[in-house]
Amino acid sequence: MNSRNIVNLFISTLVIGGVAAGLAGFVFRWDQFQPLFSSFDIGEIIISFIWMIGVGLIFSVLSQAGFFAYLTVHRFGLGIFKSVSLWNSVQVLLIIFVLFDLVYLRYINFASKGDALFPYVAVAIMLLVIGLITAYFKAKQTNKHAFIPALFFMTVITTLEWTPVLRADDISWMYFMFIPLIVCNIYQLLILDKLIRKSKVELEARRAEKAAISKSKGKNKVQKLKEV
């Protein structure tokens, strides 16, 4: 991917993350912002929205760091295991392990005596379902071998990026961070191949342009020699 498309990906992901966080903040932290809407305090609403967009930009940067880190880890994994099927099997085991820990560790650390297990399981199921849907479209967009890596990214990497608020166990902040993270991760995963293809087309066009210029210069040089 050329530098221009990398910059475009960075900026577009920033915008998506910021807007997603701004909207998610009003939804999942409604108890804090409801008085502003009741009193129709436009100034405070705008300031709050801008603040949440700013926080969303931070979440977006975290998402992008995780995405490029995974691209490196994926190549590293393929190099170590020398087999796509073996590396995918390792990723499946890691997905199961992380989803189990997402339920188990949160339950033993934050659940009170007598609390139901389902709310903790529901979070893992939600993440898995989103991951499966995204991985399906990624595989349809590219090839079947992309399914497991995409699912790994959407579950394991998203969970790692989500860890700071998972440790706090604040539901409003948990979903306030989750929405921009998951939206940015889906966007980056599905737009990557399009940008790579676009970069290849631009590179080929640039090479053709350089070849045409070089050919034109050669013809001019030959013409001048003939004139001499």
Side-chain angles (χ1 to χ4, degrees):
M1 187 159 43
N2 60 34
S3 57
R4 184 173 67 177
N5 285 324
I6 291 175
V7 172
N8 287 340
L9 176 62
F10 176 75
I11 294 174
S12 59
T13 307
L14 274 181
V15 173
I16 289 171
V19 173
L23 298 175
F26 283 132
V27 173
F28 294 103
R29 305 181 69 196
W30 178 248
D31 57 331
Q32 299 179 29
F33 297 114
Q34 192 271 335
L36 299 180
F37 284 89
S38 297
S39 60
F40 206 64
D41 192 339
I42 299 297
E44 285 297 323
I45 291 173
I46 293 174
I47 291 173
S48 299
F49 186 66
I50 292 172
W51 177 82
M52 288 186 292
I53 287 176
V55 176
L57 297 181
I58 297 173
F59 296 158
S60 172
V61 171
L62 181 61
S63 168
Q64 295 185 65
F67 181 62
F68 284 101
Y70 173 66
L71 293 178
T72 303
V73 169
H74 182 59
R75 289 297 170 189
F76 188 65
L78 288 172
I80 290 178
F81 293 101
K82 307 295 183 182
S83 167
V84 173
S85 59
L86 181 57
W87 172 228
N88 282 347
S89 298
V90 172
Q91 289 182 95
V92 169
L93 291 176
L94 290 173
I95 290 169
I96 295 170
F97 177 76
V98 168
L99 290 176
F100 173 79
D101 279 352
L102 182 59
V103 176
Y104 177 72
L105 292 180
R106 291 185 64 241
Y107 185 76
I108 64 171
N109 282 292
F110 303 120
S112 301
K113 188 175 181 180
D115 281 356
L117 180 62
F118 179 74
Y120 298 89
V121 175
V123 172
I125 292 174
M126 173 188 68
L127 182 60
L128 178 61
V129 169
I130 294 173
L132 288 169
I133 294 171
T134 307
Y136 167 78
F137 283 106
K138 180 65 176 181
K140 191 175 180 181
Q141 182 187 69
T142 54
N143 58 71
K144 64 180 181 180
H145 298 296
F147 184 86
I148 297 300
L151 182 60
F152 181 90
F153 172 70
M154 291 302 300
T155 53
V156 175
I157 303 301
T158 300
T159 301
L160 292 176
E161 294 167 348
W162 203 14
T163 299
V165 294
L166 289 176
R167 289 178 175 175
D169 195 40
D170 185 319
I171 296 298
S172 63
W173 268 95
M174 194 170 81
Y175 287 105
F176 174 48
M177 184 177 188
F178 177 75
I179 297 302
L181 272 183
I182 204 72
V183 169
C184 287
N185 285 348
I186 293 171
Y187 171 73
Q188 290 177 100
L189 193 62
L190 297 182
I191 201 68
L192 179 64
D193 286 284
K194 181 180 178 181
L195 292 178
I196 290 174
R197 289 194 299 270
K198 183 180 177 183
S199 296
K200 287 180 179 178
V201 170
E202 291 174 351
L203 179 60
E204 289 172 0
R206 196 176 299 115
R207 285 175 177 171
E209 183 181 354
K210 286 182 179 179
I213 292 172
S214 178
K215 188 176 180 180
S216 176
K217 287 181 178 179
K219 286 182 178 180
N220 291 336
K221 189 175 181 180
V222 170
Q223 185 65 33
K224 285 181 181 179
L225 288 173
K226 286 182 178 179
E227 289 175 357
V228 171

